[in-house]
Amino acid sequence: MTSPAAPRLPNPVTLFCCLAPPDYYRRPLFSEREVFCGPDCPTVETGDGFASLNTPPGEFDLPAIVACLPAHQRPELIVVKADATRRNLPRGLDRLPGTKVLLVGDSHHFTSPLRTLLAYGAMENFDAVVLDHTRQHAHAFLEAGFDRVYWIPAVDYALRRRDIPAVPDRPLTFVGQIGAFHPWRRHVLDRLVEAGLPLVGMQAAPEMAADIYAGSQITLNVSLNGDLNLRVFEALGAGGFLITDALSDDAGLERCFAPGRHLATYRSPDELVELVHHYLDHPDQAMAIRRAGQAHLLEFHSPQVKRAQFHAAVFDDRVDPALEVRGERRGLSALPVRGAGFRCRLAAYEALQRLQLTASRLTVHAAEGDGFAADLRLMVRDLPRVAFAAPADAANPDPARPVALPLPPSAARVRDEAVALLPWPGRQTDRAQTDRTETNRRMVRLPGASILCPTASARDHAEASAYLAGWGFAPADAGSGGAGGILFQCADVLRYAGRSLSDPDLAAELAPEVRRARLAALEPMLQTPDQMVGVAQLAARFRDNDLAERFLLKAVGLDRGQTDALAGLARLCVAGGRPVEASIYLAEARRAAGLAGTADPAPDLDAGALAAVAGGHPGLERYGALFRQATAPSTGRPRRILVVTNLFPPQEFGGYGRKLWEFSAELIRRGHAVKVLTADIPELARPGIAGTEDIEAQVDRSLTLYGTWKSGRAFIHDDPAHCSALIRANIRRVLETARDFGADACLVGNLDMLATEFLDPLTREMGVPVLHCLGNQHPGYAPEAAPRSPLYRAGPASGWVAERLAAGGYGLSATVIHPGARVDYFHRAAMPSIDRLRIAFASLFVNYKGPQTLINALAILHREGIDLDCTFAGEAPDADLAARCRDFVERHGMTGKVRFTGFLDRRGLSGLFARCNVLVFPSVFQEPFGISQVEAMAAGLTVVGSGTGGSGEVLRDGVDGLLFPAEDHEALAGRLRSLVKDRAAWQRMALSGRDRARDFTVARSVDRIEAVFEELIGMKSDL
């Protein structure tokens, strides 16, 4: 480069439409009479005009902006800096006089950068095009038909000169961005940190950055994507010793500076590590280079030189030979200048440029003799990490890399990438069909997740897009239009794997070890049980039963109600000679189908034959015992039993009525004659709440309550006289029914808003024994009004309720009758996966049940990055609380992790428990018992509860589950966190809890009910 003279520079009135605030640029930039405008420019008036003007982002009418300027500021030169962000695209330049220059901004990243700038430049008919940091793209403008294309390196940089210190105070620095747009830069700098080098990365304002460059022993530069960025000029101008990445010859770095004399260059991260070690150990060499570099920059690249080069080129068409680019065409001139072929090749180049951002090496697999590939080779010579290779051969894989599942590039990790060039056979001929077959073969042997698919027409593009969608591929930039869809990336790895393995002809292209590796590699990507079943079916097709079983077990771990997975496991166990496991999996599959109301998933399997082969195995016997129901009284004597309660399913509020339904149904199954007397509140009916059989024929709903429930609270009618009349009518109805029915005994439930005064005459006058199941510490009467007949027995739901009754002075004879869980309904033989926290809340959504405690705990875990999801199931009488919780979830970014299902019937609750591994029972008030804990434990969930009241009798802390203090959300978060930290303990508690649930079955509670009745009936004869 020849040392420039210092001619007198033109000084036209200049309007610079820029992409940054004015303070970013030096003054003067192009002229001493210049006005800045742009979306980041404020409107600043001077005494006789404007220093800068604000413009709308995107496209705007430039003549309207110019019209705001006084006559002496009307531009003679308009310079527009534009890039693919499309934030600064002034229009209407042809309506303005003077010279117009397009200053090319970033064309080395973003979406469709070159095509965007070429299209914009053609629309506005600029007089000249100037590139400052992407010289390698000059050829695209020349081949697109622009005649006057110039390269003026760093034309708009600002010199901030510093004196070089004798002893720098920082060893190794990098100043600049290391964000989402800079994956390769982050990769390179991470390599230095891994090598133990004292790298300090930072961001700084321009003046401070210059101080850092001057004060550093070594300043690093990593181009974003092969561009000669401004940091090179800024660092050398400040007197820094610069180590920067070696760029392609087309980028022009070595046309400006001599490596080893003005700066140092590296070609790989490892070479950079060696260079840094060397120059830290040889500061004298670094000092000599930094001095020479600054001197060279001041002589050949000072702001005055840049301004002179700009004006010489724009106004006189004169350029220094070292800056000449007009011979840079790359042999594509035979293509129509603005035809589809040229745009298609530009799209392919831009795609590879984009992929290089996240690739340590990017290999393009293209067939020999492909003309498109030949042109592409010429175009990508400035992309140093791009190479070409023959199409991949998956039939004979590289032993070191037996399979390459198409995992899309990620900015989070730089790695070797591969892209297949797949020209589309468009014409519908026999030859095209042959080509399509070859295309299928190439698809099954894809080397990576990216495909370049050039097409000749819009119709071909649509066909290719549909074809590739069938393989799980989608356009990387679907919104860019036209040839923008040339790059396709895998959006559905499972679809690709399924397509490549489900077609026998295509699968035959793959070696057996490749097929297995391809299936096994899918495991960490599978998210749903259905996906796992699908992959298991593929594995079974290739007779890989071990892999099929692995995927089916994972499917069942996520959803124990997945009937296809359970049936598949049963078949695999049959094939493997494991009849006990086969019997249990088959029974679970049919149970799950029955609970879900679906067809038998395994009609081909004979449960009786399997059981015969199993030969009465103890494990199978223990499993079967869970589901055998009694058909005769445990005492041997059937009785006529009247059941009296205020609510009876399907009319329900809370869960107390369901307990009486279960007891009634079990008594009926055992041969007792049962009549249920209750109230009729149709608005409280809930579908699916009743139970597993229809016993409504035994229910008489002729009682009338003297109040109701609203928003979770009880309300008594306002008229006392009316309430008294209802009470008297209810007493009369109970006594008449007991007489007419000929009751041997009476099972009483909740009497709220019904009456309690019938208890004494029923026991004392009629001699009917009464067992009163008490769900809380308030039986409905005062201690002094408690029934004193020996035929009256209290049946508290827990030991805690019994203690509270005694402490309250009731003095009742009592036998604890646990509510009883349908363990046979909720039990799951397979345990849930403990891969992550999958939490259930199953209760009324009211304040005293503690959902707010769980919500707050989830927020803590979410902030800590603990993987979880949570489902809140339950009716929400407190609509305000539910709304506030939903709002909290949204504000804390947990919408994708937390769901609110509302009320779930028994089937829905069973299905929820089949998909979860933790039940949180955060009740605030003193719970009488907590039946949902037992149901969840039966399903294999680990219960984390507050242990209030009788609910603490279910869990043994650290054995069957975990306890935490009520309302302490931090403690709850800690308990949940502990499960994740010690998964072995989590698994042990889940197994123990499932066994513990057997202690609280409905059958055991009914055994006690029968025993109490026999005891009371026996006492009757002694009275």
Side-chain angles (χ1 to χ4, degrees), residues 200-239:
V200 176
M202 63 193 80
Q203 294 188 32
E207 291 295 334
M208 182 180 291
D211 294 336
I212 296 169
Y213 297 146
S216 300
Q217 190 172 342
I218 298 176
T219 289
L220 292 179
N221 182 45
V222 186
S223 67
L224 191 158
N225 204 16
D227 55 302
L228 177 55
N229 59 27
L230 296 185
R231 190 178 293 102
V232 172
F233 297 85
E234 293 166 346
L236 294 182

Side-chain angles (χ1 to χ4, degrees), residues 279-348:
Y279 284 112
L280 286 176
D281 294 339
H282 299 83
D284 53 335
Q285 294 181 20
M287 182 62 72
I289 292 174
R290 75 194 299 166
R291 286 173 176 160
Q294 186 183 49
H296 182 80
L297 180 132
L298 294 175
E299 180 177 359
F300 292 96
H301 298 286
S302 68
Q304 293 82 4
V305 170
K306 297 292 118 182
R307 185 175 164 194
Q309 290 171 340
F310 178 84
H311 285 293
V314 169
F315 293 110
D316 299 329
D317 196 25
R318 290 185 296 106
V319 294
D320 186 306
L323 305 182
E324 183 61 71
V325 295
R326 282 176 283 195
E328 291 294 310
R329 290 178 175 84
R330 298 189 182 176
L332 305 181
S333 56
L335 293 170
V337 170
R338 291 187 175 89
F342 180 67
R343 292 196 303 272
C344 196
R345 283 156 176 77
L346 277 179

Side-chain angles (χ1 to χ4, degrees), residues 41 57 82 271 275 338 389 448 465 502 517 523-524 559 668 720 749 841 961:
C41 293
E271 186 180 357
L275 279 174
R338 291 187 175 89
S465 297
S502 58
E523 186 170 350
D559 183 358
I668 292 170
F841 170 92

Side-chain angles (χ1 to χ4, degrees), residues 349 557 733 755 891:
Y349 170 85
R733 181 65 184 141
R891 284 188 288 107

